[in-house]
Amino acid sequence: MHWIIKSFEELTNNELYDLLKLRCDVFIVEQTCYYPDLDDKDRVSTTKHVLAYDNGELKAYSRILAPEVSYPEHASIGRVIVLPETRGTGLGHTLMNKSNEQIAIMWPASPCKISAQYHLKEFYQQHGFSCIGDSYLEDGIPHIAMVKAPHC
C-alpha cells in the first residue's frame, strides 16, 4: 500500500479525480445519499487528504480538517472511505491510524470530533473516540457525534 498525504494544491489531477470518484461512488451511489459533496473544505489551505493506493488504484481515503473548519475548537476527520471490495481487511483501521497520526502532528493540542455513521460507532471507539449526545439523521443516515481527546 502506498500512502499519500497532501493538501488540495499538491494533489495531481488524477489523485483529485480518484478521490472525488471514490467519494461519489460510495457516499452518493452506494449509500444513495444525495448531498453536496463539494463543500469547499477540500480547498482550505490546512486540509489534508489521506490516500491509500495499491497497484495504481485508490483503495482508501479520508479528509483531515483543522480546528474551526467544521467544528469550533476541534480538528476533524471526515469522508472516511474504504473501497467496498477491501472492507474487512483492516485497511480502515490503518486509514484511521494514519489520519489520527496526522492530526497529532498538525494540531497536537486539539481534540478531534467526527460525525460517524451510527453503525460504525464501535469501529471509531477502537480508535479512541467516544460518543457524545444522541444519534441524529444526516442526509437520511443515522449518525452520532464522537470526540477523541487531544494527543498532547
Side-chain angles (χ1 to χ4, degrees):
M1 199 67 57
H2 174 65
W3 290 91
I4 299 169
I5 300 173
K6 292 183 174 180
S7 68
F8 183 82
E9 291 80 16
E10 295 169 323
L11 292 168
T12 67
N13 288 340
N14 284 328
E15 291 164 347
L16 179 60
Y17 181 89
D18 291 344
L19 75 87
L20 292 174
K21 183 176 185 327
L22 182 59
R23 286 174 16 182
C24 179
D25 288 349
V26 171
F27 294 131
I28 297 171
V29 177
E30 177 188 335
Q31 297 180 356
T32 60
C33 182
Y34 306 108
Y35 73 104
D37 182 46
L38 301 178
D39 58 8
D40 288 324
K41 294 177 184 178
D42 291 320
R43 297 190 291 190
V44 173
S45 63
T46 53
T47 296
K48 295 294 182 184
H49 302 272
V50 181
L51 302 96
Y53 279 92
D54 188 35
N55 294 320
E57 183 178 19
L58 183 61
K59 300 288 187 175
Y61 168 84
S62 71
R63 179 172 78 173
I64 309 298
L65 302 171
E68 309 301 327
V69 174
S70 283
Y71 304 107
E73 302 175 16
H74 291 81
S76 183
I77 302 170
R79 304 292 199 263
V80 178
I81 307 171
V82 174
L83 195 65
E85 54 265 28
T86 59
R87 293 178 190 155
T89 65
L91 183 56
H93 290 289
T94 305
L95 175 63
M96 284 305 296
N97 291 336
K98 296 274 185 191
S99 301
N100 279 318
E101 288 169 10
Q102 190 65 34
I103 287 179
I105 291 166
M106 296 182 70
W107 309 288
S110 176
C112 182
K113 185 174 183 181
I114 62 173
S115 177
Q117 290 187 7
Y118 191 81
H119 75 279
L120 294 172
K121 71 177 183 171
E122 288 84 11
F123 169 82
Y124 291 110
Q125 287 171 332
Q126 293 177 50
H127 293 277
F129 288 89
S130 299
C131 297
I132 57 171
D134 297 323
S135 65
Y136 54 91
L137 285 180
E138 184 174 308
D139 302 315
I141 297 173
H143 280 70
I144 190 151
M146 300 183 82
V147 175
K148 181 178 179 167
H151 294 82
C152 61

